[in-house]
């Protein structure tokens, strides 16, 4: 997702899935594929290296699993403590949260 309007649409009445480190908000997008938006604030992840690592791992995880995801717009929001997660732990957490969003969307 690229424009502020696309992000605002997801923030209005989203399907949430949260953990202490990451929150994923989702909303149907009317397209035939899922889209990803990232919000990694400096307030929670101080160093650019950490923010970029979270972005890179999240994008890669999304790329590898997008064929399993429904046509939703996803916004991944990093919270405090997300910068301390290892890449493996971050991948595992993202997988759990995406499954939780899918269950709430289907059920």
């Amino acid at each position: 997702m690229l424009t502020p309007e696309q992000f605002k649409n997801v923030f209005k009445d989203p399907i949430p899935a949260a953990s202490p480190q990451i929150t994923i908000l989702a909303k149907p997008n009317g397209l035939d594929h899922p889209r990803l938006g990232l919000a990694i604030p400096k307030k929670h992840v101080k160093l650019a290296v950490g923010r970029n690592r979270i972005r890179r791992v999240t994008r890669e995880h999304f790329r590898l699993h997008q064929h399993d995801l429904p046509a939703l717009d996803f916004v991944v929001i990093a919270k405090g403590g997300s910068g301390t997660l290892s890449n493996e732990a971050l991948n595992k957490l993202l997988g759990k949260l995406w499954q939780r969003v899918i269950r709430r969307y289907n059920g």
Side-chain angles (χ1 to χ4, degrees):
M1 296 186 330
L2 299 173
T3 66
E5 291 80 29
Q6 293 169 341
F7 277 84
K8 285 179 190 173
N9 182 41
V10 175
F11 288 125
K12 286 187 231 162
D13 194 32
I15 302 166
S19 76
Q21 297 88 9
I22 301 280
T23 297
I24 296 180
L25 304 176
K27 191 161 188 180
N29 62 15
L31 303 172
D32 61 347
H33 60 277
R35 296 188 298 180
L36 178 66
L38 298 168
I40 320 290
K42 275 186 186 179
K43 180 180 179 181
H44 298 300
V45 185
K46 300 289 186 205
L47 298 178
V49 172
R51 292 191 301 275
N52 291 336
R53 184 181 64 83
I54 292 169
R55 283 188 193 100
R56 187 177 60 250
V57 170
T58 304
R59 283 188 187 122
E60 182 68 8
H61 191 275
F62 180 79
R63 185 185 69 81
L64 292 173
H65 295 92
Q66 65 184 341
H67 60 278
D68 297 328
L69 299 172
L72 298 171
D73 283 343
F74 294 96
V75 175
V76 177
I77 304 168
K79 298 192 285 189
S82 58
T84 61
L85 292 173
S86 68
N87 291 357
E88 182 181 336
L90 187 56
N91 271 316
K92 195 173 186 180
L93 179 60
L94 288 169
K96 285 181 185 179
L97 292 175
W98 263 306
Q99 290 305 315
R100 196 177 303 160
V101 167
I102 292 168
R103 276 197 311 274
R104 288 181 179 168
Y105 173 66
N106 292 330

